Amino acid sequence: MANLIGDANLRFADDKMLLATWTLDSSAAQTVFKGQPMILDVSEDTVNARGFVDATVVDPADVFLGIANEGTFVLIGAAENHKIELIMAGLVGFASTVFTNADVGKTVYMSDSATLSVTAADNPEIGILSFVNEGYAYVSINPNRAPKICSGA
């Protein structure tokens, strides 16, 4: 498992992306990188976004919001007014060697903030694999254009 240590190189294949601004949770300090999955960790905060990393225990009631479209950070205890733009729906390409075009249509999870996976356990479901091209797996993020409850966690 390898969490992001910098902004991810993302590719976009959709002009119908849904972008939204969310407030970051400051109950713990967090550094968020572009490309990181963002969740509502309902055991910590039911209103504000938190970056998913390998150490996060995803509960079936947690909600996958989208993918960070920018990098930022927030300090513990800071006023909860720090905003971040999320890709809440659309076709996003992640550098990945996990999938091939034989996997098109499979549900995609993230096992840490940098790794696509087919494993549901304790991982947020981020979407459906659309295609693979030049080392990038293109995932339809939240294909129903709404946040996804992590019921498979």
Side-chain angles (χ1 to χ4, degrees):
M1 306 278 176
N3 286 310
L4 289 170
I5 58 172
D7 289 342
N9 291 318
L10 301 177
R11 293 186 180 175
F12 305 102
D14 190 348
D15 61 353
K16 297 179 182 114
M17 291 184 31
L18 175 61
L19 303 176
T21 301
W22 282 76
T23 302
L24 281 175
D25 173 22
S26 66
S27 63
Q30 60 175 321
T31 299
V32 177
F33 296 106
K34 181 178 181 176
Q36 186 168 353
M38 301 296 293
I39 65 172
L40 285 180
D41 185 344
V42 298
S43 64
E44 300 293 332
D45 190 324
T46 60
V47 178
N48 299 314
R50 176 177 283 209
F52 171 77
V53 293
D54 183 41
T56 306
V57 176
V58 176
D59 183 270
D62 291 344
V63 178
F64 169 72
L65 299 172
I67 301 295
N69 198 32
E70 60 187 339
T72 190
F73 68 93
V74 66
L75 300 175
I76 189 169
E80 289 190 327
N81 59 8
H82 195 91
K83 306 291 185 188
I84 185 167
E85 183 179 77
L86 304 184
I87 303 165
M88 294 191 62
L91 199 52
V92 179
F94 299 86
S96 177
T97 58
V98 173
F99 294 103
T100 69
N101 279 319
D103 298 311
V104 167
K106 286 188 177 177
T107 300
V108 178
Y109 303 86
M110 288 192 90
S111 58
D112 54 48
S113 65
T115 308
L116 299 180
S117 173
V118 293
T119 305
D122 198 30
N123 297 322
E125 178 181 329
I126 67 165
I128 303 296
L129 182 67
S130 292
F131 65 94
V132 177
N133 186 35
E134 297 179 352
Y136 281 76
Y138 287 82
V139 178
S140 178
I141 303 298
N142 284 329
N144 295 325
R145 299 187 78 75
K148 175 77 177 158
I149 295 174
C150 301
S151 58

